Amino acid sequence: MHALRPLLLSLISFTSFTFAQSLPIDVREATISSLHSSLFSGVTTCRDVVSAFIARVERFNSDINAIITLNPDVLQIADSLDVSLSTGNATGALFCIPILLKDNYDATPMPSTAGCLALNSSTPTHDAPTVAALRRAGAVILGKSNLHELALEGLSVSSLGGQTLNPYDFNRTPGGSSGGTGAAIAASFAVFGTGTDTVNSLRSPASANSLFSFRPTRGLISRSGVIPISYTQDTVGAIGRCLYDIATALTVMSSVGYDSLDNATSAIPPSTIGTDYTSFLSSSTSTSSLSSLSTIRIGVLEGFFNRTSTNETSPVNAAMSTILSLLQTAGATIVNITDTTTYNATAISSAMDVQQLEYRESLTAYLSSPNLKGARPLSMPELYTTNLTTPEFLVIPSQYSYVETALRSSTGNASYFTRQSMIANLTRTLHSTFLAHNLDAIIYPEQKNLVVPVGSPSQSGRNGILAALTGSPVITIPIGFSPATSSAPIGIPIGMEILGLPWSEGTLLQLAKSIDDRLHARKMPVTNGLNETVEVTTSYVTVPEVTLLRNIPAAYPLGVY
């Protein structure tokens, strides 16, 4: 067992702030709307709100190990927003909304580590465009969340942050790679958090933590200023506890528009620029036409289910059966897509995944950027240089082949062009499936089985590869839980993906709302008191340095590549 380390890991001095808390505030399951109601009615202040979230992190982070670092400027930012509030200048869709960033987003003054010890001094000189947009909208960035090391797997274990645990069952992983964000938002450490998604990483933590997320159409949101893996497959997005909050995040993050540092954004249709995605959730507008579901046609990918009857797969299949019955009862037409040769997640991933061929070039370009300061490896090969005496990175056994391939491969390989051709064919086939069946969306479980236990070799059974390769948008929603056990008092969360054609985020949000309004599957975790309030009991309190436990299972030795 590794010793306790300071949350800021000696990178940033987090002064012991003092502040006055005028009224207790309950931040459990807090939303943008609920916090704005309290703020704008004068019930609370921005400092009170931020302090309440910090207190919750202090109380519960040691249980789930979700946070890598806190923002040392956070209380000063809250004070400045209170000045704006008092003078009638409180503007922005995210005014005083505390959020967390996955620790592969550039955000000053915090390092961008991707959970890697070798990057613990790598600090950006300016914010990623999406982070700048969130700040302009009034968001308060509380800090950075843990992730699977360099976002290369779905177990959410890293050399810097340790193993994040699932708040619904401490014996299980929280999904990944954005598992720190998923666990933190499920535990109400912030209102929502950001993540990245190369294959599953925004959707897996949402599914495993009874949350909502979006993976946008490739190109809708700039990816610059985020530690990369794959130009073809990377996207950025948000994870939250309700649809309105992630729709607001989508609105703000997509407001960046065209970014010359990410030429995928040149594909944005003019009609989508400036879209307010929350409008698709309003029953008072014409965009709510999906609420009846009577005219909706939904495809179901049979190849994305595991019909074997086990304790790990049966709860997922049962939850999906409930959804299908609900949709049919509401009048939706269900179309079974039985082509399990084309729509086979394992086969698609094996044949077409290109991240290993793009990783070395992408990461080297990021590490060598003049936008970073501080000691760090300047290339991907330098990062993975063997150092058994003082290891600075974590490579789990299932990743050895991945790293070896990435070290010797590039986009110049003949196999890269073959795979890109196969991706183009898959994309055309998917679009043809939509057209042939006149579909509004396609649904399937995010994971064929329950999220895996801590110590598992990989996050098996996930279905995210289809959207990752085709650049399709997805909304992930909670749809239920497995039966309760002694370690999972209310069961393990189960989530579903709703996939659409490019630029159909609005339609997917409408459909997600129609389902969620009928299902209301989201439940907060209760394990070890996570459902309890955390109150400031004195009029003046000190927010001390928070610590985290680098709880890395012995099965994952540091730096043995």
Side-chain angles (χ1 to χ4, degrees), residues 4 41 67 123 128 182 239 241 311 348 375 402 424 437 458 498 540:
L4 287 171
S41 64
I67 307 299
T123 306
I239 302 172
R241 291 185 296 272
N311 290 338
I348 291 171
Y402 178 101
H437 298 287
S458 67
I498 309 173
Y540 291 92

Side-chain angles (χ1 to χ4, degrees), residues 143-484:
K144 299 284 200 77
S145 55
N146 194 27
L147 63 155
H148 193 95
E149 182 111 347
L150 292 157
L152 296 184
E153 235 290 353
L155 302 171
S156 295
V157 58
S158 69
S159 58
L160 187 59
Q163 175 69 62
T164 299
L165 304 179
N166 191 304
Y168 293 87
D169 184 347
F170 294 165
N171 294 322
R172 301 219 177 216
T173 64
S177 63
S178 310
T181 297
I185 301 308
S188 295
F189 288 178
V191 174
F192 69 82
T194 68
T196 59
D197 191 317
T198 304
V199 182
N200 295 278
S201 300
L202 278 157
R203 296 161 287 160
S204 170
S207 173
N209 292 279
S210 195
L211 299 169
F212 301 83
S213 74
F214 66 83
R215 176 189 166 102
T217 304
R218 182 191 298 123
L220 180 60
I221 303 177
S222 168
R223 304 166 296 181
S224 64
V226 178
I227 299 176
I229 297 175
S230 166
Y231 176 84
T232 299
Q233 297 174 212
D234 285 350
T235 55
V236 300
I239 302 172
R241 291 185 296 272
C242 72
L243 280 167
Y244 181 86
D245 289 354
I246 66 164
T248 304
L250 175 59
T251 300
V252 172
M253 296 173 77
S254 65
S255 70
V256 172
Y258 172 70
D259 179 3
S260 62
L261 297 178
D262 181 2
N263 63 18
T265 58
S266 63
I268 301 173
S271 60
T272 70
I273 296 173
T275 298
D276 177 3
Y277 289 96
T278 65
S279 67
F280 293 94
L281 304 176
S282 172
S283 59
S284 63
T285 67
S286 60
T287 58
S288 62
S289 58
L290 295 190
S291 60
S292 70
L293 291 175
S294 59
T295 62
I296 302 306
R297 295 177 61 83
I298 299 173
V300 182
L301 294 182
E302 178 59 32
F304 280 24
F305 288 75
N306 182 345
R307 297 299 187 182
T308 305
S309 180
T310 70
N311 290 338
E312 298 296 308
T313 57
S314 295
V316 175
N317 294 331
M320 285 299 301
S321 293
T322 298
I323 288 294
L324 294 177
S325 296
L326 179 153
L327 289 168
Q328 290 174 318
T329 299
T333 299
I334 302 299
V335 179
N336 290 316
I337 310 298
T338 58
D339 180 358
T340 58
T341 301
T342 300
Y343 297 115
N344 180 306
T346 302
I348 291 171
S349 180
S350 176
M352 303 181 209
D353 192 317
V354 294
Q355 56 181 314
Q356 291 167 287
L357 297 161
E358 296 178 336
Y359 181 44
R360 178 167 58 84
E361 295 170 350
S362 297
L363 185 57
T364 294
Y366 173 84
L367 292 173
S368 61
S369 168
N371 296 328
L372 297 178
K373 60 183 179 180
R376 66 189 185 281
L378 296 178
S379 68
M380 182 268 191
E382 185 180 339
L383 171 64
Y384 286 103
T385 299
T386 303
N387 188 341
L388 298 180
T389 304
T390 56
E392 295 183 300
F393 54 89
L394 174 68
V395 180
I396 64 174
S398 63
Q399 293 175 309
Y400 294 164
S401 175
Y402 178 101
V403 173
E404 290 172 351
T405 300
L407 281 167
R408 65 175 184 267
S409 301
S410 75
T411 56
N413 289 30
S415 61
Y416 179 71
F417 298 99
T418 300
R419 288 178 178 243
Q420 287 289 3
S421 178
M422 295 174 71
I423 290 171
N425 287 335
L426 176 65
T427 304
R428 284 191 289 269
T429 299
L430 178 62
H431 292 186
S432 295
T433 298
F434 267 87
L435 292 172
H437 298 287
N438 193 26
L439 299 177
D440 295 283
I442 287 175
I443 62 173
Y444 45 88
E446 201 292 322
Q447 193 161 359
K448 300 179 182 76
N449 43 267
L450 301 178
V451 66
V452 301
V454 171
S456 298
S458 67
Q459 192 64 253
S460 60
R462 297 186 296 174
N463 288 320
I465 189 66
L466 180 62
L469 293 176
T470 61
S472 305
V474 169
I475 300 293
T476 304
I477 66 171
I479 60 169
F481 289 81
S482 68

Side-chain angles (χ1 to χ4, degrees), residues 56 59-66 155 163-174 183-184 186-187 189 208-209 451-455 485-493 525-531 551 553:
R56 191 162 177 86
R59 168 64 180 85
F60 291 115
N61 188 59
S62 61
D63 291 327
I64 60 175
N65 201 39
L155 302 171
Q163 175 69 62
T164 299
L165 304 179
N166 191 304
Y168 293 87
D169 184 347
F170 294 165
N171 294 322
R172 301 219 177 216
T173 64
F189 288 178
N209 292 279
V451 66
V452 301
V454 171
T485 65
S486 58
S487 63
I490 61 172
I492 309 299
V526 302
T527 312
N528 203 30
L530 278 166
N531 61 328
N551 176 23

Side-chain angles (χ1 to χ4, degrees), residues 24-47:
I25 180 169
D26 184 359
V27 297
R28 295 173 303 170
E29 301 292 288
T31 66
I32 295 171
S33 296
S34 70
L35 291 180
H36 278 176
S37 178
S38 295
L39 283 164
F40 299 144
S41 64
V43 171
T44 191
T45 66
C46 189
R47 177 177 271 257

